[in-house]
Amino acid sequence: MTTVGYGDHYPVTAAGRLVAFGLMIGGIALLGTVTATLASWLVETVAAEKEQAEDLQIMVRRLEDKIDRLAAESQRGLARVDRARIPLAFLSSARDGEGSRSQARCSARD
């Protein structure tokens, strides 16, 4: 990488050696720059993916908390319904939208 050839031809003058030295240093610098740029790109890509994964984990935790709160509220609501002991005929009439006809049928059976 830093040689001028196979070793059978080499610069013998001071100017030739100076040019060869410059080319060798330039080649090393170019290769180092390309390698550093590639490494930097890889590190930034991995860091961005890691940050995105952390954001998704935070979002999942928030959603789990919301689900837990909704489940707790639902359980409290069911407990209130159980305590109130709403008659079954009332619930079915409210759901069907029939109202007084369902109650009339219930009282006619009794």
Side-chain angles (χ1 to χ4, degrees):
M1 179 167 51
T2 57
T3 60
V4 181
Y6 293 108
D8 54 346
H9 299 287
Y10 53 90
V12 288
T13 63
R17 289 183 180 182
L18 185 62
V19 169
F21 177 74
L23 287 173
M24 287 186 271
I25 296 298
I28 292 171
L30 180 65
L31 185 64
T33 302
V34 170
T35 304
T37 303
L38 180 65
S40 174
W41 177 76
L42 286 173
V43 167
E44 287 176 2
T45 303
V46 169
E49 288 179 6
K50 185 177 179 181
E51 183 178 327
Q52 185 179 14
E54 289 172 354
D55 289 345
L56 287 174
Q57 287 176 349
I58 290 169
M59 190 181 307
V60 167
R61 283 189 205 115
R62 287 180 184 166
L63 289 172
E64 287 174 345
D65 290 342
K66 286 182 181 181
I67 290 170
D68 291 342
R69 281 189 303 226
L70 288 172
E73 288 176 15
S74 173
Q75 289 298 325
R76 279 187 257 137
L78 289 175
R80 281 189 221 133
V81 169
D82 287 343
R83 281 182 285 188
R85 297 186 189 258
I86 299 174
L88 185 59
F90 177 74
L91 289 175
S92 65
S93 66
R95 190 174 350 124
D96 297 338
E98 295 178 348
S100 60
R101 284 185 283 179
S102 293
Q103 291 175 352
R105 276 187 259 152
C106 289
S107 61
R109 282 189 230 149
D110 293 337

